[in-house]
Tab-separated table of all heavy atoms in Angstrom:
chain	number	residue	atom	x	y	z
A	1	ASN	N	-2.597	92.271	166.695
A	1	ASN	CA	-3.524	91.369	166.999
A	1	ASN	C	-4.888	92.054	167.403
A	1	ASN	O	-5.918	91.354	167.088
A	1	ASN	CB	-3.093	90.440	168.257
A	1	ASN	CG	-2.068	89.498	167.699
A	1	ASN	OD1	-2.422	88.351	167.167
A	1	ASN	ND2	-0.844	89.695	168.052
A	2	LEU	N	-4.871	93.191	167.965
A	2	LEU	CA	-6.124	93.922	168.261
A	2	LEU	C	-6.891	94.330	166.995
A	2	LEU	O	-8.060	94.106	166.771
A	2	LEU	CB	-5.817	95.124	169.117
A	2	LEU	CG	-6.972	95.913	169.627
A	2	LEU	CD1	-7.873	95.030	170.416
A	2	LEU	CD2	-6.607	97.170	170.414
A	3	GLN	N	-6.032	94.782	165.944
A	3	GLN	CA	-6.541	95.080	164.565
A	3	GLN	C	-7.237	93.811	163.974
A	3	GLN	O	-8.365	93.913	163.499
A	3	GLN	CB	-5.462	95.655	163.746
A	3	GLN	CG	-5.959	95.849	162.300
A	3	GLN	CD	-4.804	96.037	161.377
A	3	GLN	OE1	-3.725	96.455	161.726
A	3	GLN	NE2	-5.121	95.555	160.044
A	4	LYS	N	-6.532	92.763	164.027
A	4	LYS	CA	-7.135	91.503	163.405
A	4	LYS	C	-8.412	91.020	164.175
A	4	LYS	O	-9.373	90.603	163.544
A	4	LYS	CB	-6.000	90.433	163.411
A	4	LYS	CG	-4.931	90.671	162.563
A	4	LYS	CD	-5.327	90.640	161.021
A	4	LYS	CE	-4.158	90.882	160.090
A	4	LYS	NZ	-4.586	91.017	158.777
A	5	LEU	N	-8.396	91.248	165.386
A	5	LEU	CA	-9.551	90.906	166.168
A	5	LEU	C	-10.827	91.628	165.814
A	5	LEU	O	-11.890	91.149	165.562
A	5	LEU	CB	-9.259	90.891	167.726
A	5	LEU	CG	-10.130	90.020	168.564
A	5	LEU	CD1	-9.962	88.618	168.158
A	5	LEU	CD2	-9.701	90.386	170.030
A	6	HIS	N	-10.502	93.005	165.758
A	6	HIS	CA	-11.668	93.891	165.154
A	6	HIS	C	-12.028	93.621	163.825
A	6	HIS	O	-13.372	93.507	163.558
A	6	HIS	CB	-11.094	95.354	165.266
A	6	HIS	CG	-11.003	95.903	166.728
A	6	HIS	ND1	-12.172	95.785	167.544
A	6	HIS	CD2	-10.103	96.619	167.289
A	6	HIS	CE1	-11.821	96.465	168.718
A	6	HIS	NE2	-10.524	96.890	168.693
A	7	GLU	N	-11.186	93.171	162.950
A	7	GLU	CA	-11.534	92.814	161.564
A	7	GLU	C	-12.458	91.613	161.662
A	7	GLU	O	-13.406	91.478	160.865
A	7	GLU	CB	-10.303	92.624	160.712
A	7	GLU	CG	-9.541	94.009	160.472
A	7	GLU	CD	-8.259	93.648	159.604
A	7	GLU	OE1	-7.876	92.494	159.390
A	7	GLU	OE2	-7.642	94.641	159.374
A	8	GLU	N	-11.982	90.540	162.413
A	8	GLU	CA	-12.761	89.367	162.448
A	8	GLU	C	-14.196	89.500	162.961
A	8	GLU	O	-15.108	88.766	162.556
A	8	GLU	CB	-11.978	88.311	163.351
A	8	GLU	CG	-10.606	87.804	162.784
A	8	GLU	CD	-9.970	87.003	163.786
A	8	GLU	OE1	-10.586	86.620	164.828
A	8	GLU	OE2	-8.627	86.817	163.599
A	9	GLN	N	-14.370	90.443	163.807
A	9	GLN	CA	-15.662	90.925	164.307
A	9	GLN	C	-16.393	92.006	163.371
A	9	GLN	O	-17.535	92.412	163.796
A	9	GLN	CB	-15.520	91.511	165.722
A	9	GLN	CG	-14.857	90.457	166.739
A	9	GLN	CD	-15.648	89.113	166.709
A	9	GLN	OE1	-16.748	89.066	166.972
A	9	GLN	NE2	-14.867	88.007	166.470
A	10	HIS	N	-15.866	92.256	162.275
A	10	HIS	CA	-16.325	93.255	161.391
A	10	HIS	C	-16.542	94.656	162.141
A	10	HIS	O	-17.489	95.375	161.695
A	10	HIS	CB	-17.602	92.820	160.736
A	10	HIS	CG	-17.439	91.737	159.786
A	10	HIS	ND1	-18.431	91.200	159.037
A	10	HIS	CD2	-16.249	91.057	159.427
A	10	HIS	CE1	-17.988	90.143	158.245
A	10	HIS	NE2	-16.680	90.029	158.561
A	11	GLN	N	-15.639	94.889	162.865
A	11	GLN	CA	-15.570	96.190	163.704
A	11	GLN	C	-14.786	97.071	162.963
A	11	GLN	O	-13.624	97.382	163.456
A	11	GLN	CB	-15.199	96.053	165.053
A	11	GLN	CG	-16.197	95.160	165.875
A	11	GLN	CD	-15.718	94.722	167.381
A	11	GLN	OE1	-14.521	94.724	167.499
A	11	GLN	NE2	-16.568	94.405	168.174
A	12	TRP	N	-14.993	97.679	161.820
A	12	TRP	CA	-14.230	98.230	160.830
A	12	TRP	C	-13.688	99.545	161.254
A	12	TRP	O	-12.476	99.875	161.149
A	12	TRP	CB	-14.853	98.466	159.447
A	12	TRP	CG	-15.435	97.178	159.012
A	12	TRP	CD1	-16.787	96.801	158.711
A	12	TRP	CD2	-14.678	95.960	158.499
A	12	TRP	NE1	-16.942	95.626	158.244
A	12	TRP	CE2	-15.587	95.005	158.100
A	12	TRP	CE3	-13.301	95.702	158.547
A	12	TRP	CZ2	-15.167	93.774	157.669
A	12	TRP	CZ3	-12.887	94.359	158.105
A	12	TRP	CH2	-13.860	93.489	157.597
A	13	THR	N	-14.491	100.380	162.031
A	13	THR	CA	-13.937	101.656	162.525
A	13	THR	C	-12.919	101.461	163.642
A	13	THR	O	-11.822	102.080	163.585
A	13	THR	CB	-15.110	102.461	163.096
A	13	THR	OG1	-16.104	102.675	162.024
A	13	THR	CG2	-14.636	103.824	163.580
A	14	GLU	N	-13.155	100.463	164.367
A	14	GLU	CA	-12.167	100.150	165.479
A	14	GLU	C	-10.829	99.637	164.822
A	14	GLU	O	-9.734	99.990	165.268
A	14	GLU	CB	-12.694	99.130	166.493
A	14	GLU	CG	-13.792	99.733	167.282
A	14	GLU	CD	-15.172	99.730	166.686
A	14	GLU	OE1	-15.189	99.370	165.432
A	14	GLU	OE2	-16.034	99.949	167.403
A	15	ALA	N	-11.004	98.794	163.847
A	15	ALA	CA	-9.726	98.189	163.140
A	15	ALA	C	-9.054	99.296	162.423
A	15	ALA	O	-7.783	99.260	162.539
A	15	ALA	CB	-10.314	97.173	162.160
A	16	TYR	N	-9.863	100.195	161.806
A	16	TYR	CA	-9.103	101.297	161.151
A	16	TYR	C	-8.362	102.210	162.206
A	16	TYR	O	-7.152	102.498	161.945
A	16	TYR	CB	-10.215	102.259	160.449
A	16	TYR	CG	-9.612	103.379	159.638
A	16	TYR	CD1	-9.051	103.366	158.449
A	16	TYR	CD2	-9.673	104.802	160.345
A	16	TYR	CE1	-8.541	104.494	157.752
A	16	TYR	CE2	-9.122	105.725	159.681
A	16	TYR	CZ	-8.581	105.661	158.483
A	16	TYR	OH	-8.015	106.790	157.798
A	17	ASP	N	-9.000	102.617	163.230
A	17	ASP	CA	-8.322	103.419	164.250
A	17	ASP	C	-7.067	102.742	164.815
A	17	ASP	O	-6.010	103.253	165.064
A	17	ASP	CB	-9.336	103.696	165.355
A	17	ASP	CG	-10.385	104.706	164.960
A	17	ASP	OD1	-10.167	105.332	163.841
A	17	ASP	OD2	-11.390	104.708	165.631
A	18	THR	N	-7.255	101.407	165.047
A	18	THR	CA	-5.996	100.630	165.555
A	18	THR	C	-4.853	100.555	164.553
A	18	THR	O	-3.628	100.713	164.872
A	18	THR	CB	-6.374	99.183	165.883
A	18	THR	OG1	-7.500	99.297	166.790
A	18	THR	CG2	-5.262	98.452	166.523
A	19	ARG	N	-5.226	100.434	163.223
A	19	ARG	CA	-4.219	100.384	162.115
A	19	ARG	C	-3.592	101.776	162.054
A	19	ARG	O	-2.277	101.868	161.859
A	19	ARG	CB	-4.933	100.133	160.823
A	19	ARG	CG	-3.840	99.975	159.698
A	19	ARG	CD	-2.976	98.793	159.933
A	19	ARG	NE	-1.734	98.758	159.031
A	19	ARG	CZ	-0.841	97.793	158.999
A	19	ARG	NH1	-1.020	96.713	159.726
A	19	ARG	NH2	0.197	97.853	158.308
A	20	ARG	N	-4.283	102.915	162.155
A	20	ARG	CA	-3.622	104.206	162.240
A	20	ARG	C	-2.714	104.343	163.399
A	20	ARG	O	-1.601	104.974	163.097
A	20	ARG	CB	-4.787	105.200	162.189
A	20	ARG	CG	-5.523	105.416	160.935
A	20	ARG	CD	-4.726	105.932	159.654
A	20	ARG	NE	-4.015	107.197	159.937
A	20	ARG	CZ	-4.568	108.343	159.645
A	20	ARG	NH1	-5.729	108.393	159.194
A	20	ARG	NH2	-3.941	109.452	159.957
A	21	ARG	N	-3.062	103.832	164.383
A	21	ARG	CA	-2.270	103.980	165.564
A	21	ARG	C	-0.901	103.119	165.421
A	21	ARG	O	0.086	103.699	165.838
A	21	ARG	CB	-3.003	103.420	166.825
A	21	ARG	CG	-2.288	103.612	168.188
A	21	ARG	CD	-3.186	103.131	169.273
A	21	ARG	NE	-2.564	102.972	170.639
A	21	ARG	CZ	-3.081	102.502	171.645
A	21	ARG	NH1	-4.338	102.058	171.668
A	21	ARG	NH2	-2.357	102.417	172.782
A	22	LEU	N	-1.018	101.909	164.910
A	22	LEU	CA	0.031	101.064	164.602
A	22	LEU	C	0.902	101.767	163.455
A	22	LEU	O	2.310	101.791	163.676
A	22	LEU	CB	-0.310	99.804	164.125
A	22	LEU	CG	0.714	98.892	163.677
A	22	LEU	CD1	1.656	98.471	164.734
A	22	LEU	CD2	0.112	97.542	163.049
A	23	ALA	N	0.417	102.482	162.502
A	23	ALA	CA	1.111	102.988	161.433
A	23	ALA	C	1.930	104.194	162.020
A	23	ALA	O	3.167	104.393	161.654
A	23	ALA	CB	0.154	103.497	160.327
A	24	LYS	N	1.409	104.997	162.828
A	24	LYS	CA	2.013	106.164	163.376
A	24	LYS	C	3.204	105.679	164.279
A	24	LYS	O	4.253	106.304	164.327
A	24	LYS	CB	1.197	107.109	164.145
A	24	LYS	CG	0.146	107.755	163.256
A	24	LYS	CD	-0.760	108.651	163.992
A	24	LYS	CE	-1.791	109.334	163.077
A	24	LYS	NZ	-2.806	110.110	163.847
A	25	LEU	N	2.906	104.628	165.078
A	25	LEU	CA	3.817	104.153	166.108
A	25	LEU	C	5.049	103.556	165.379
A	25	LEU	O	6.275	103.745	165.672
A	25	LEU	CB	3.283	102.994	166.903
A	25	LEU	CG	4.100	102.301	167.810
A	25	LEU	CD1	4.632	103.370	168.977
A	25	LEU	CD2	3.410	101.207	168.597
A	26	ALA	N	4.834	102.837	164.384
A	26	ALA	CA	5.916	102.089	163.667
A	26	ALA	C	6.523	102.836	162.444
A	26	ALA	O	7.263	102.434	161.689
A	26	ALA	CB	5.431	100.672	163.037
């Protein structure tokens, strides 16, 4: 949800970092 929220705000770097964090975690 944090990733989607960043995407909706066009905060692409934050969304990318969150996605990387999620990918490593999962």
